[in-house]
Amino acid sequence: MNWPLEALLSFLAAGAFGVMFNAPQRTLISCGLVGMSGWLIYRIFFLAFDDPVQASFAGAFAVSFVAHLLAKKFRMPMIIFSVAGIIPLVPGSKAYNAMRNIVENNYLEAIAFASEAMMISGAVAMGLVFAEVLMQLFFKRQAKRIQKKMGLTQD
Amino acid sequence: MTQIGETRRELALDCFLLAGRIMMESGAETYRVEDTMIRMAVSQNMVNSHCFVTPSGIMFSPSEELATRFVRINNRSTDLERVALINSVSRRLVAGEFTLQQAYDEMLIIDQTNYRFNMWLQILAAALASGCFFILLGGTWHDLPFAFVFGGTGFIIVETILLETRVKIFAEFIGAFVIGILASITVYTGFSTDLDTLIIGSIMPLVPGLLITNAVRDLMAGHFMSGLSKGAEAFLTAFAIGAGIAVVLSF
């Protein structure tokens, strides 16, 4: 595993997605940093536990955590930073494989790929939500309001 | 609820719905749109207001006795700069730095200005992203130029067809189809050996990663309508890409 190279590539990839999603110009480098941290955490967990679902959860958690800090710093919506950073983690290749197998009539393999893609996207979303909730608990003053906003508490 | 004048109330409603529409068209999360609209309403003393946001339309009801307004959302893309700009306008309105009229004028300007990066820069970015993903997913340096070129080509084709026809599935199908053909040709002529990684790297700019994640996230936040319709959109996109590739591979 070549860490500096992977870091550079994921930085460039996330920055490039920032350009494609038209993120504000002065946030592009931050977008790249978010993507880089997410990918590195993902890879570390993947190599340590060999489970893409756990690794995606950890990566998404890192992305959301860093994106939150940057959103506070720039006073912009968090989505600007998290979107580009989350792209390397979403199971694009799994979804592609599932679709390809369906079109080729390999339904059993398609189901396996599709359910794996579902698990991973669920883990990514869980990672995002967990980090968001923890950050809000950390900033206790706002915690109640945000939880209500996200529909995580009923009242 | 303090009483506010008729014209001012209409202006306020126009303002909230415009903000919601621009944010939704630019790819903001559903709960953020609702939150922004309600905050702006509260700052204008409309405390009993409700809004209901879906990816295809926004309803806003100022209070029980007043008429509900509705706005339709037709085309959605991802334009984060607009989300940031609307967000800062709404922040300044809530903080009292902007009057309602100023905020509305500012939003009209945001609605009409094109903030997109230069097309060439976007194509270059798509090509760069494809190349980076190709290596990250385990491709070899020898094949990198192919992934770079095919990723850019696919992006150009999708954007061109979208400009001409506005039919998203068709554009994505053709884009994936061309990428599949190009990748197959390079593999069959012996320039490259790894068909799967080449294709996956090249279609990365087209894959609906954002939609899948947003859909699950909206579902978990309790916005079932938005979650399901975004999920359907993601499914259609994935289907178009998968079909485009499969048509090539089945030959």
Side-chain angles (χ1 to χ4, degrees):
Chain A
M1 201 70 274
N2 191 344
W3 296 112
L5 178 69
E6 291 215 353
L8 176 70
L9 286 176
S10 51
F11 179 84
L12 286 178
F17 267 101
V19 173
M20 281 163 66
F21 290 151
N22 200 25
Q25 247 171 49
R26 62 202 175 93
T27 64
L28 282 180
I29 291 182
S30 316
C31 287
L33 285 178
V34 173
M36 185 173 86
S37 50
W39 177 262
L40 288 181
I41 299 281
Y42 168 82
R43 286 298 284 175
I44 290 169
F45 267 75
F46 188 73
L47 292 177
F49 300 108
D50 201 25
D51 181 0
V53 177
Q54 282 174 18
S56 299
F57 178 85
F61 192 91
V63 165
S64 187
F65 187 78
V66 180
H68 221 102
L69 293 180
L70 286 168
K72 281 248 183 301
K73 182 179 161 239
F74 281 93
R75 297 182 70 76
M76 282 180 183
M78 184 194 141
I79 186 176
I80 290 171
F81 304 98
S82 60
V83 162
I86 214 77
I87 288 287
L89 304 177
V90 294
S93 60
K94 294 266 166 29
Y96 152 78
N97 271 327
M99 269 305 156
R100 194 186 124 188
N101 277 308
I102 285 181
V103 183
E104 287 178 344
N105 288 339
N106 299 330
Y107 296 114
L108 284 177
E109 274 185 57
I111 289 173
F113 275 119
S115 43
E116 205 173 345
M118 281 295 290
M119 286 289 286
I120 293 178
S121 54
V124 168
M126 287 296 270
L128 287 173
V129 172
F130 268 49
E132 199 156 331
V133 172
L134 283 185
M135 288 301 282
Q136 296 303 340
L137 286 177
F138 190 67
F139 296 103
K140 251 186 180 157
R141 195 167 53 83
Q142 301 172 327
K144 271 234 163 74
R145 186 170 56 76
I146 301 289
Q147 280 186 350
K148 218 163 82 183
K149 180 175 88 183
M150 292 182 59
L152 293 172
T153 54
Q154 310 282 326
D155 63 337
Chain B
M1 179 179 163
T2 50
Q3 213 60 42
I4 58 175
E6 179 87 13
T7 44
R8 196 173 132 75
R9 201 174 58 221
E10 288 304 312
L11 178 64
L13 287 182
D14 282 341
C15 190
F16 306 153
L17 286 173
L18 182 63
R21 182 169 63 77
I22 297 176
M23 284 182 91
M24 215 55 208
E25 280 177 352
S26 311
E29 310 104 303
T30 312
Y31 79 83
R32 182 178 297 285
V33 178
E34 287 191 353
D35 183 58
T36 305
M37 289 174 73
I38 292 292
R39 265 174 212 242
M40 286 164 74
V42 168
S43 80
Q44 300 302 314
N45 281 330
M46 299 163 127
V47 279
N48 284 327
S49 51
H50 291 275
C51 68
F52 179 61
V53 178
T54 72
S56 44
I58 297 176
M59 283 170 248
F60 186 89
S61 153
S63 72
E64 280 84 5
E65 61 267 23
L66 297 171
T68 299
R69 296 264 305 259
F70 177 80
V71 60
R72 182 84 169 86
I73 298 164
N74 285 317
N75 37 23
R76 287 171 300 281
S77 61
T78 310
D79 189 344
L80 297 176
E81 174 114 47
R82 282 192 183 174
V83 179
L85 286 169
I86 293 287
N87 186 59
S88 75
V89 171
S90 99
R91 262 177 207 270
R92 294 175 75 172
L93 177 69
V94 172
E97 289 173 36
F98 272 175
T99 63
L100 204 52
Q101 186 67 49
Q102 274 175 321
Y104 186 63
D105 293 342
E106 195 78 7
M107 284 179 196
L108 280 180
I109 294 173
I110 294 172
D111 190 30
Q112 279 149 17
T113 317
N114 180 16
Y115 292 100
R116 288 254 163 219
F117 281 105
N118 197 335
M119 196 61 207
W120 285 110
L121 199 58
Q122 285 189 52
I123 293 169
L124 195 67
L128 185 65
S130 291
C132 292
F133 276 114
F134 179 68
I135 299 292
L136 283 177
L137 294 171
T140 54
W141 289 102
H142 173 260
D143 296 344
L144 177 63
F146 296 120
F148 189 83
V149 172
F150 297 166
T153 315
F155 189 77
I156 294 173
I157 289 168
V158 170
E159 290 292 314
T160 318
I161 297 181
L162 263 185
L163 268 183
E164 294 295 325
T165 63
R166 313 299 316 170
V167 185
K168 223 172 143 215
I169 296 192
F170 181 67
E172 276 146 358
F173 179 84
I174 299 289
F177 182 72
V178 172
I179 287 176
I181 285 192
L182 289 173
S184 309
I185 288 175
T186 45
V187 170
Y188 285 126
T189 50
F191 287 109
S192 160
T193 47
D194 194 356
L195 184 62
D196 270 335
T197 316
L198 192 54
I199 289 180
I200 292 175
S202 307
I203 60 170
M204 213 60 189
L206 314 182
V207 160
L210 167 66
L211 277 173
I212 295 177
T213 315
N214 249 352
V216 181
R217 210 165 162 220
D218 270 342
L219 279 179
M220 295 214 294
H223 292 271
F224 298 114
M225 294 272 230
S226 311
L228 287 181
S229 46
K230 278 181 188 165
E233 201 178 345
F235 179 80
L236 275 182
T237 309
F239 181 77
I241 295 171
I245 296 290
V247 167
V248 178
L249 292 179
S250 59
F251 282 127

